[in-house]
Amino acid sequence: MEVANKYVTLKTHIEGAPKESDFELRTSPLALSLDPSSDEMIVKNLYVSIDPYQLNRMKLYNSSQKMGAGLEGITLGKEIKAYGVAEVVASDNVEFEKGDVVVGFVTWAEYSKIRGNGMIRKLDPLGFPLSYHVGLFGYSGLAAYAGFFEICKPKQGEKVFVSAASGSVGNMVGQYAKLLGCYVVGCAGSKQKVELLKEKLGFDDAFNYKGETDLNSALKRYFPDGIDIYFDNVGAEMLEAAVANMNTYGRVAVCGATSEYTDPGKRAAPNMLDVIYKRIKIQGFLAWDHMDVFEDFISTTGNCLRSGQMHPLEDFSNGVETIPSAFVGLFRGDNIGKKMVKITED
């Protein structure tokens, strides 16, 4: 049997903000059969993840491209790897059978061919929707959990600031912090998002950073007694303002720097005297650095979702052809929660 497989490729390397015209939707025939001893499998993609870090892979050169598997630059015209959930439709890999549901790195496509050493595993849904395993139980959720608990080492009652707080990582950080008994303020880019943070997710307060002319003054207003923990998803001026308002022994978990992804001229320049004399820890990290806490993360998050103490925040587009617009929309702030594309019915 043969299918016409639709997939998204990169048409030109991107500098600055991405545009839909940077991508191309292609179709090619794909036989749903495999050579014996190929150790491969073919999967039908159900959900694929849309993540800001992919933009750094789409540049002609970025220093992050040297940092390991999954971060290397994307070749023009080739399928683009991404995290997702899929169903096995053909397998010559002894570890997988037709009909298995799997999670891991697939491609921005209707079907993906996975080699034997692919970063993919069988999925136990644990009674949750499959989409949860792309975001909440995927690398976005692990980044929130590990960044907050392993990097920031929070204590009950501490004051926590989260940027991009309505995004896939930030919303979970804020919810974890509230469960621990912290005072939590988030920033986001619209009135709707600010209201959601306070009314649905239980943040103590939130503000629209686009309405602030002086971020330093804004943070003094929301944190008159200083910030103990800053979870950074954006970098640049927001990081500078957060450090200026941090308490002694403050901790900064640097998860992303999205404002710098689209503007190479932007660079965060926190006051290093503050860093030294306040003994502030600023640490970057990647989610997969912390696979040792994956089981704890899944157990804790699952229990909190079942009990209603945490709320899922997901944002869907439908069909592989919507992937370029979904990706471009990340950098306009269109999404609320984890952005993903539903490729086919699960």
Side-chain angles (χ1 to χ4, degrees), residues 163 230 232-240 254 256-260 267-268:
S163 58
Y230 172 44
D232 186 22
N233 291 302
V234 300
E237 299 94 338
M238 195 67 76
L239 175 58
E240 295 173 14
V254 184
T258 54
S259 64
E260 300 181 29
R267 292 288 185 274

Side-chain angles (χ1 to χ4, degrees), residues 125-142:
L126 302 172
F128 292 103
L130 295 182
S131 62
Y132 282 24
H133 297 273
V134 179
L136 281 87
F137 294 128
Y139 283 123
S140 297
L142 180 59

Side-chain angles (χ1 to χ4, degrees), residues 143-145 148 160 162 169-178 203 231:
Y145 185 89
F148 185 60
V160 178
V162 185
V169 177
N171 88 84
M172 294 187 69
V173 173
Q175 293 188 77
Y176 288 136
K178 284 306 302 173
F203 282 55
F231 198 100

Side-chain angles (χ1 to χ4, degrees), residues 58-234:
M58 296 172 184
K59 298 177 181 180
L60 182 61
Y61 172 77
N62 184 270
S63 59
S64 66
Q65 295 173 3
K66 298 180 177 181
M67 299 302 170
L71 299 174
E72 61 277 347
I74 294 171
T75 303
L76 299 182
K78 298 292 186 181
E79 292 186 20
I80 297 170
K81 287 185 179 180
Y83 199 72
V85 170
E87 180 183 355
V88 177
V89 295
S91 177
D92 187 62
N93 185 321
V94 295
E95 295 182 17
F96 301 93
E97 298 179 356
K98 182 178 179 179
D100 284 346
V101 177
V102 295
V103 62
F105 282 93
V106 291
T107 56
W108 279 354
E110 291 181 318
Y111 294 85
S112 302
K113 183 176 281 190
I114 312 294
R115 285 167 174 70
N117 59 353
M119 296 174 64
I120 202 157
R121 60 180 173 84
K122 288 184 185 180
L123 175 62
D124 176 358
L126 302 172
F128 292 103
L130 295 182
S131 62
Y132 282 24
H133 297 273
V134 179
L136 281 87
F137 294 128
Y139 283 123
S140 297
L142 180 59
Y145 185 89
F148 185 60
F149 290 107
E150 298 296 303
I151 304 297
C152 296
K153 303 291 185 185
K155 302 179 183 67
Q156 184 177 7
E158 288 195 306
K159 296 171 284 294
V160 178
F161 174 46
V162 185
S163 58
S166 66
S168 60
V169 177
N171 88 84
M172 294 187 69
V173 173
Q175 293 188 77
Y176 288 136
K178 284 306 302 173
L179 287 169
L180 187 64
C182 296
Y183 171 78
V184 185
V185 175
C187 71
S190 72
K191 180 180 178 182
Q192 176 194 11
K193 292 178 179 180
V194 166
E195 290 174 351
L196 179 145
L197 293 175
K198 293 191 290 185
E199 295 173 9
K200 181 176 181 178
L201 302 188
F203 282 55
D204 293 286
D205 217 330
F207 65 93
N208 182 353
Y209 69 90
K210 294 180 180 178
E212 300 292 342
T213 56
D214 185 338
L215 292 175
N216 190 13
S217 297
L219 290 180
K220 285 186 188 300
R221 190 165 72 246
Y222 287 97
F223 293 96
D225 298 317
I227 299 168
D228 297 306
I229 291 171
Y230 172 44
F231 198 100
D232 186 22
N233 291 302
V234 300

